[in-house]
Amino acid sequence: MPLSPIFEWLARTEVATAINQSPYLMGLLSSVHLLGLTLIVGSSIVSCLRCLGLLLPEQPLSDVARPVGNGIVLGLAVCLATGFLMFAPRATTAVKDSAFQMKMILLLAAVVFHFTLYRYVMRSDATRPPLLRLTGVLGLTLWFGVGFAGCAFAVFD
């Protein structure tokens, strides 16, 4: 793997060593990471159920989208920062783990989805129902997939 030297260097940095040697620091990072994930998934549930017409059907889509979209972006920023810090000490083993690889693939797909189709659909109150439903189903599937893959990585690592 051509990136192996980078992962080995990352795992040996002072920050990675400090995190690896402190169960309290790793616990704190994990807790904050889960709070970020909760913000993402909670916001996604609200917006996707709105797309499916199951929650807040009387509210204009754009009124629902603004605050929940901000929640997803904030949660994503928290998760990326804490996730990188938790990844660093075990970089060499994590990249070989199939659950971690699946999580990263789903995360990339979810981020691309969020900043493309999701944003396009959520900015218009005139979006056609089939596209709204597709957006709702895709959003829930991707973000829950990221969460479940992350759980699998944490449990089976």
Side-chain angles (χ1 to χ4, degrees):
M1 174 180 261
L3 296 176
S4 291
I6 294 170
F7 296 136
E8 290 168 9
W9 167 82
L10 180 61
R12 289 190 314 263
T13 61
E14 287 183 37
V15 171
T17 302
I19 292 168
N20 197 35
Q21 293 176 348
S22 172
Y24 298 111
L25 189 51
M26 185 59 90
L28 176 65
L29 288 170
S30 295
S31 297
V32 174
H33 191 73
L34 288 175
L35 287 173
L37 181 62
T38 301
L39 191 53
I40 292 170
V41 173
S43 298
S44 180
I45 288 171
V46 171
S47 64
C48 292
L49 290 180
R50 170 57 186 91
C51 287
L52 294 169
L54 300 174
L55 184 69
L56 306 170
E58 299 83 26
Q59 295 293 321
L61 191 57
S62 57
D63 288 352
V64 174
R66 201 169 303 112
V68 297
N70 293 338
I72 291 172
V73 171
L74 177 61
L76 184 59
V78 168
C79 283
L80 289 175
T82 56
F84 179 76
L85 290 171
M86 291 188 306
F87 167 77
R90 52 189 181 170
T92 55
T93 57
V95 296
K96 298 173 189 170
D97 187 283
S98 59
F100 179 79
Q101 292 169 358
M102 180 58 66
K103 179 182 177 178
M104 292 300 104
I105 290 167
L106 288 169
L107 178 61
L108 178 62
V111 168
V112 169
F113 164 79
H114 179 78
F115 289 104
T116 56
L117 180 63
Y118 172 87
R119 285 233 168 143
Y120 170 77
V121 167
M122 298 306 266
R123 288 185 177 172
S124 171
D125 289 321
T127 304
R128 295 181 184 265
L131 185 55
L132 274 176
R133 286 191 291 276
L134 175 65
T135 301
V137 169
L138 276 175
L140 288 173
T141 302
L142 289 170
W143 288 119
F144 271 97
V146 171
F148 288 135
C151 288
F153 174 62
V155 170
F156 300 116
D157 180 37

